[in-house]
């Protein structure tokens, strides 16, 4: 724990330094615009002025179909040559409830609570099919967004987050050889570990254009109660947006993500049965393109309400071993500051 205390002390001293800077020079009286928030798929992209509170809800849907080895698609037949069971289709739906509050201009606190549903269809060598399903509250995330630069044209902040192991890692289900089997890593709801979520986010704007970038990571701090930890993650993303009118902007975003294999292994999983049970078949790299729309209500009941939509298409995937490939995902969200 001593390294964490040292890190906390370092972050705290950074906060105090930036607090002095931010409070002395800025008070955020900037006009709101649809693209003052990033595309809705980006988390922790903006801060709030002192005393402001924001609620948000996001719905995310992700679709995966077929398998890939490295960057090449691989047929179900080829997958079944290596494992007696192959996944064919997986979907994930997530409802993410969020709240933000700024006790001061240099610090915005953020909490996010996900509710996750996963479905995975499989086919067996014998030609049978079966589906596993899991759902539940995922890992709750608490972040501090620390403003370093806050002007009408440029914003820069640090993201300091912790993910709590509130999501289940003991999800079970019926498979052909066992009516009550521990399900593989991709079907679990949480990581089972405390995770650090550091990041840095920049955004800038001009008359009708805006842009931004974020670097972020997920670092697993321990090993979970089932004897493994999910791989660390690193993400880099950058976006540009055009404000078409006071109430609408459209955006284009590119995102690169790298994530590691599972460390250790859940001893209850049979690694020879299916690719998803292999700890060394979990990591990879992916590049996504995101096409987004942000709406900002102008008058009456809609005033100040934000709706964001982002459709995400992978353009490159390189997966360790054999894994399901991602086809597309969509995020729709609502945000309102008070
Ligand atoms: Cu907010």
């Amino acid at each position: 724990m001593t390294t964490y205390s040292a890190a906390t002390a370092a972050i705290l001293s950074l906060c105090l330094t930036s607090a002095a800077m931010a409070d002395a020079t800025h008070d955020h009286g900037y006009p709101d615009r649809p693209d003052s928030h990033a595309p809705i798929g980006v988390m922790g992209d903006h801060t709030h002025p002192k005393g402001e509170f924001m609620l948000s809800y996001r719905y995310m849907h992700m679709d995966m179909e077929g398998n890939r080895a490295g960057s090449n698609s691989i047929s179900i037949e080829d997958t079944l040559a290596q494992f007696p069971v192959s996944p064919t289709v997986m979907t994930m739906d997530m409802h993410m409830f969020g709240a933000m509050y700024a006790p001061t201009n240099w610090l915005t606190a953020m909490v996010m609570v996900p509710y996750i549903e996963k479905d995975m269809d499989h086919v067996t060598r014998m030609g049978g099919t079966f589906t596993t399903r899991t759902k539940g509250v995922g890992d709750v995330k608490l972040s501090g967004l620390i403003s370093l630069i806050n002007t009408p044209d440029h914003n820069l902040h640090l993201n300091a987050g912790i993910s709590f192991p509130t999501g289940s890692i003991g999800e079970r289900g019926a498979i052909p050889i066992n009516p009550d089997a521990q399900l593989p890593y991709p079907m679990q709801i949480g990581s089972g570990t405390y995770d650090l979520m550091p990041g840095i986010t920049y955004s800038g704007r001009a008359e009708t254009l805006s842009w931004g970038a974020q670097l972020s990571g997920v670092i697993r701090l321990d090993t979970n109660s089932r004897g493994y930890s999910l791989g660390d993650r690193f993400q880099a993303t950058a976006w540009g947006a055009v404000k078409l009118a006071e109430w609408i902007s459209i955006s284009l975003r590119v995102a690169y993500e790298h994530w590691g294999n599972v460390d250790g292994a859940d001893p209850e999983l049979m690694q020879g049965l299916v690719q998803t049970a292999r700890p060394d078949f979990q990591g990879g790299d992916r590049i996504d393109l995101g096409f987004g729309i942000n709406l900002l209500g102008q008058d009456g009941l809609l005033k100040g309400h934000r709706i964001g939509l982002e459709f995400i298409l992978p353009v490159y995937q390189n997966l360790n071993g054999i894994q399901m490939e991602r086809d597309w995902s969509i995020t729709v969200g609502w945000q309102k500051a008070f």
Side-chain angles (χ1 to χ4, degrees):
M1 283 308 280
T2 50
T3 49
Y4 308 146
S5 330
T8 312
I11 290 171
L12 209 69
S13 66
L14 237 172
C15 298
L16 296 174
T17 318
S18 65
M21 281 163 40
D23 277 346
T25 46
H26 311 295
D27 74 340
H28 290 254
Y30 319 132
D32 212 7
R33 46 191 272 185
D35 55 345
S36 25
H37 288 194
I40 193 75
V42 182
M43 309 289 157
D45 61 294
H46 64 272
T47 58
H48 287 272
K50 181 176 177 173
E52 197 165 275
F53 178 70
M54 190 191 89
L55 287 176
S56 68
Y57 164 74
R58 284 179 175 85
Y59 167 71
M60 283 168 240
H61 175 87
M62 187 181 80
D63 227 68
M64 305 174 94
E65 186 165 356
N67 292 317
R68 213 172 254 247
S71 53
N72 302 315
S73 291
I74 167 171
S75 69
I76 297 295
E77 291 70 32
D78 287 343
T79 307
L80 288 175
Q82 297 186 52
F83 295 96
V85 173
S86 172
T88 52
V89 177
M90 179 179 183
T91 59
M92 187 189 73
D93 291 277
M94 175 153 68
H95 304 271
M96 176 93 91
F97 302 89
M100 297 172 88
Y101 176 71
T104 173
N105 278 335
W106 62 266
L107 177 69
T108 297
M110 180 169 81
V111 60
M112 301 198 110
V113 180
Y115 181 86
I116 297 169
E117 294 185 52
K118 294 177 171 184
D119 266 61
M120 197 185 277
D121 297 340
H122 306 75
V123 58
T124 71
R125 241 177 231 166
M126 312 297 289
T129 60
F130 68 99
T131 300
T132 54
R133 289 197 173 90
T134 56
K135 58 178 187 249
V137 174
D139 293 338
V140 171
K141 293 166 178 70
L142 196 63
S143 302
L145 313 184
I146 300 151
S147 269
L148 301 179
I149 296 172
N150 211 336
T151 71
D153 300 332
H154 302 283
N155 298 79
L156 180 70
H157 65 260
L158 297 178
N159 303 63
I162 294 184
S163 173
F164 296 86
T166 48
S168 163
I169 54 167
E171 293 298 307
R172 308 181 76 84
I175 64 173
I177 55 166
N178 184 346
D180 182 40
Q182 168 76 12
L183 295 176
Y185 308 105
M187 289 303 287
Q188 297 301 323
I189 300 294
S191 71
T193 50
Y194 287 88
D195 307 327
L196 271 190
M197 302 175 66
I200 184 164
T201 308
Y202 163 77
S203 61
R205 57 205 62 81
E207 194 71 7
T208 56
L209 295 180
S210 63
W211 53 88
Q214 184 180 67
L215 298 178
S216 60
V218 181
I219 300 163
R220 318 291 176 183
L221 292 180
D222 51 0
T223 298
N224 66 29
S225 58
R226 299 195 66 88
Y228 68 89
S229 61
L230 296 179
D232 290 344
R233 304 184 86 92
F234 168 77
Q235 195 185 65
T237 185
W239 63 91
V242 186
K243 189 179 78 168
L244 300 177
E246 292 309 312
W247 59 274
I248 183 170
S249 63
I250 54 173
S251 62
L252 181 63
R253 180 162 77 94
V254 59
Y256 165 74
E257 188 168 22
H258 169 83
W259 67 103
N261 286 326
V262 166
D263 278 331
D266 184 330
E268 212 182 320
L269 296 177
M270 293 164 57
Q271 294 189 23
L273 186 66
V274 62
Q275 66 200 39
T276 48
R278 285 276 295 260
D280 54 336
F281 283 16
Q282 305 292 330
D285 296 272
R286 194 180 66 252
I287 299 173
D288 288 325
L289 279 186
F291 305 90
I293 299 177
N294 280 3
L295 305 176
L296 174 60
Q298 301 292 307
D299 304 299
L301 284 176
L302 294 178
K303 189 174 168 64
H305 287 268
R306 294 175 163 277
I307 299 286
L309 182 152
E310 192 175 32
F311 181 75
I312 293 168
L313 270 184
V315 290
Y316 171 79
Q317 300 182 73
N318 192 347
L319 307 173
N320 300 343
I322 302 176
Q323 290 182 51
M324 298 199 76
E325 64 176 37
R326 205 180 272 209
D327 288 333
W328 57 274
S329 68
I330 194 166
T331 302
V332 185
W334 165 87
Q335 300 167 321
K336 174 78 172 72
F338 300 92

